[in-house]
Amino acid sequence: MMKVLVIDYRMGNLGSVRRSLEECGADVVCSEDPQDIKSVSKIILPGVGSFRDGIEHLNKMGWTEEILKAATQDKVPFLGICLGMQLLADKGSEGGETEGLGLIAGTVEKFVPDPPETRVPHVGWNELVISQSTPLLAGIPNRSDFYFVHSYHFVAQDSKDVAATTPYCGDFVSVVARQNIFGTQFHPEKSSKAGFRLLRNFLSL
Amino acid sequence: MLKTRVIPTLLWKNEGLVKGVGFDSWRRIGAVLPAIKVYNMREVDELMLLDISASLENREPDYDSVSEYSAECFVPLTLGGGVCNIEIIRKLLLAGADKITINSAAFEKPALITQAAERFGSQCIVVSIDAKKKADGSYECYSRGGAKPTGKEVGVWAQEVEQRGAGEILITSIEKDGTMQGYDLELIRQVTQRVKIPVIASGGAGHLEHFLEAVQQGKASAVAAASIFHFTERTPLEVKQYLSQNGILVRDVHFETVHSL
């Protein structure tokens, strides 16, 4: 059975990610030990909280180097969820300008309400406008709704890395995909059937 | 586009679900876990579970039960009741909550809102406000399950919690709660006009039109309800279909799957 690692870097709720993956039939390891990255075939970086805290925790716990090695040299399929997607960027602005993992070129910015009466944070179900086919979104109809809850969003430097956008404050990037590296701004583990489909797609990469 | 959410609220007291009228006269309505399972199967937009006795009894939430409930829930789950410090929030998030509501403690220690938002992100901090109309037509906030007047005017308090970092506001009319006579639209408007964060309307839904009013007239981002789902045959799906027929965007669920349950 494929083993999937859920990185525990003390940034919020891993329970629901674990249970969703188990529902999809995966053998899940939630671990705080970066050495565990060597024994798995898939990696998930979940997380809620601020960008700066996220990176600080990854650095302090010794994850950063192992993540970069696994994702770039060993090409292990890697999925960042919510804050985990944002951390893939070069730079974040939440909690002061901070360097990210730099796995997908871009920055993370706070929503600017547009039109001005738009409410931030962006909370609730919103759709994906799929701009590029990727195995991660296989079988998921365009305009399917997923659950979002966030105030910051990924600004990709290269449109080739963008697999889907979502209409809010203009359009923002909701799925990034670059070779074996993926990120979703929404929470597949909280998105019911569409979310399960996405997780199963990831597990079968 | 972002969809309007319909959120069933489950009030939990001494291991069972209850529902009252005006924050009183509690009726027992069954067990928690089966209700969560049903709502999860029906793919509701979100679920709120509030432990209404924790704060009154000055005790911490029951984390083991929360873990058990969240294990059955693959839609967003908001937990509340008895949340009075950072450690409790951390434990609830670990037990599987996605968002946390703070009510009484927000009045007693407003700095908690800021600390919680900084530590866990604004997006998971919902400040719950219970309010009652005063003789002069203004609204006063109450804490401790509607028992304690706080002297705070609702609009002023809503703005303060927003500034302190709340990600959402849950606004409940104490007088309308459980009556099924409709939301207090004036109350909802007073909050939605004052803040730029999403507002969840609560208290009073009894007919489909009530939900539409809360969205169209109250400008709520989400509508929460309990009695209508417990005591009538209406389901969250019917509410969404009604909203959709009236031009409100709602999340499309897989109707055939729902009906086969």
Side-chain angles (χ1 to χ4, degrees):
Chain A
M1 196 199 265
M2 95 228 17
K3 226 178 189 179
V4 50
L5 170 71
V6 177
I7 296 179
D8 183 355
Y9 60 125
R10 299 180 194 146
M11 293 298 286
N13 175 10
L14 307 183
S16 54
V17 177
R18 169 198 275 273
R19 280 187 299 274
S20 310
L21 291 165
E22 285 169 352
E23 285 282 307
C24 295
D27 178 9
V28 187
V29 192
C30 287
S31 171
E32 293 193 11
D33 180 2
Q35 293 312 311
D36 284 338
I37 223 165
K38 300 193 165 81
S39 59
V40 298
S41 56
K42 304 276 184 312
I43 304 167
I44 291 186
L45 182 65
V48 295
S50 83
F51 191 97
R52 167 173 288 227
D53 285 356
I55 280 294
E56 276 175 5
H57 285 205
L58 287 178
N59 288 340
K60 227 173 12 201
M61 295 171 75
W63 281 109
T64 307
E65 204 181 313
E66 295 300 332
I67 289 173
L68 294 178
K69 191 169 158 287
T72 56
Q73 286 174 30
D74 306 336
K75 305 276 180 206
V76 180
F78 188 97
L79 173 64
I81 296 173
C82 197
L83 176 62
M85 164 191 179
Q86 297 180 356
L87 293 172
L88 299 173
D90 298 316
K91 235 186 278 175
S93 53
E94 189 178 8
E97 198 176 290
T98 318
E99 283 209 9
L101 292 169
L103 285 168
I104 293 188
T107 57
V108 177
E109 311 284 348
K110 188 159 192 183
F111 273 127
V112 178
D114 171 29
E117 65 274 17
T118 308
R119 293 181 188 271
V120 174
H122 174 227
V123 183
W125 298 81
N126 203 336
E127 67 225 44
L128 298 193
V129 179
I130 299 173
S131 50
Q132 201 173 155
S133 100
T134 156
L136 189 70
L137 300 176
I140 294 173
N142 197 28
R143 305 250 170 207
S144 292
D145 285 323
F146 286 85
Y147 186 79
F148 291 84
V149 50
H150 61 123
S151 306
Y152 288 77
H153 65 104
F154 198 108
V155 180
Q157 212 176 76
D158 189 344
S159 64
K160 287 203 287 288
D161 295 333
V162 177
T165 59
T166 294
Y168 203 71
C169 294
D171 291 313
F172 72 88
V173 177
S174 45
V175 182
V176 288
R178 184 188 180 90
Q179 300 173 4
N180 57 311
I181 301 166
F182 303 89
T184 67
Q185 180 57 66
F186 51 84
H187 290 268
E189 77 280 13
K190 285 289 161 181
S191 295
S192 237
K193 296 207 172 75
F196 281 127
R197 176 66 203 246
L198 186 146
L199 291 174
R200 279 200 301 272
N201 287 344
F202 177 71
L203 293 171
S204 56
L205 283 173
Chain B
M1 298 297 286
L2 184 63
K3 312 303 186 294
T4 296
R5 288 165 282 156
V6 176
I7 307 175
T9 311
L10 299 174
L11 301 178
W12 162 34
K13 188 181 186 189
N14 308 328
E15 302 190 357
L17 288 180
V18 295
K19 184 64 197 123
V21 177
F23 285 31
D24 204 350
S25 329
W26 302 106
R27 263 168 77 181
R28 296 190 64 87
I29 49 169
V32 184
L33 200 56
I36 289 181
K37 283 183 180 171
V38 167
Y39 284 131
N40 183 64
M41 277 195 304
R42 290 181 173 170
E43 295 192 70
V44 293
D45 294 336
E46 203 172 314
L47 202 53
M48 247 177 343
L49 180 60
L50 307 177
D51 182 345
I52 55 165
S53 48
S55 161
L56 294 172
E57 293 166 8
N58 265 319
R59 60 166 170 79
E60 288 196 18
D62 175 357
Y63 305 109
D64 290 341
S65 299
V66 171
S67 299
E68 196 186 325
Y69 303 150
S70 66
E72 298 296 334
C73 190
F74 298 104
V75 297
L77 178 64
T78 302
L79 252 295
V83 177
C84 57
N85 61 49
I86 286 283
E87 187 55 19
I88 291 178
I89 299 176
R90 196 185 68 84
K91 286 185 189 163
L92 283 173
L93 290 171
L94 278 178
D98 297 293
K99 297 192 277 189
I100 305 296
T101 70
I102 309 177
N103 190 325
S104 302
F107 296 106
E108 288 149 23
K109 294 181 277 189
L112 176 64
I113 305 170
T114 319
Q115 285 167 12
E118 281 172 1
R119 171 92 183 264
F120 306 106
S122 280
Q123 77 290 329
C124 71
I125 305 302
V126 182
V127 171
S128 162
I129 305 177
D130 301 327
K132 228 185 237 184
K133 199 174 199 161
K134 297 208 307 191
D136 65 0
S138 67
Y139 289 90
E140 183 179 2
C141 305
Y142 280 68
S143 70
R144 299 277 157 192
K148 193 175 160 197
T150 64
K152 297 259 190 197
E153 192 273 322
V154 77
V156 173
W157 179 238
Q159 219 163 16
E160 182 176 342
V161 304
E162 175 181 43
Q163 278 158 10
R164 287 183 179 275
E168 270 183 295
I169 289 175
L170 168 68
I171 179 70
T172 305
S173 158
I174 297 173
E175 289 139 310
K176 294 280 188 167
D177 177 72
T179 63
M180 295 177 44
Q181 289 167 358
Y183 293 98
D184 187 334
L185 299 175
E186 181 52 32
L187 172 63
I188 295 164
R189 253 195 308 269
Q190 289 206 8
V191 176
T192 54
Q193 278 168 359
R194 289 294 275 273
V195 299
K196 303 209 65 183
I197 54 180
V199 175
I200 306 166
S202 159
H207 295 282
L208 295 176
E209 308 85 76
H210 295 155
F211 295 93
L212 185 63
E213 290 165 0
V215 177
Q216 281 182 333
Q217 297 172 43
K219 308 285 176 206
S221 300
V223 282
S227 298
I228 185 172
F229 302 135
H230 294 318
F231 304 133
T232 80
E233 288 180 355
R234 292 285 181 216
T235 64
L237 181 63
E238 285 175 296
V239 174
K240 294 208 295 186
Q241 285 168 334
Y242 178 81
L243 290 176
S244 174
Q245 284 154 14
N246 285 277
I248 305 294
L249 287 173
V250 293
R251 169 176 159 247
D252 195 10
V253 296
H254 312 285
F255 293 91
E256 70 283 9
T257 326
V258 171
H259 287 305
S260 68
L261 290 173

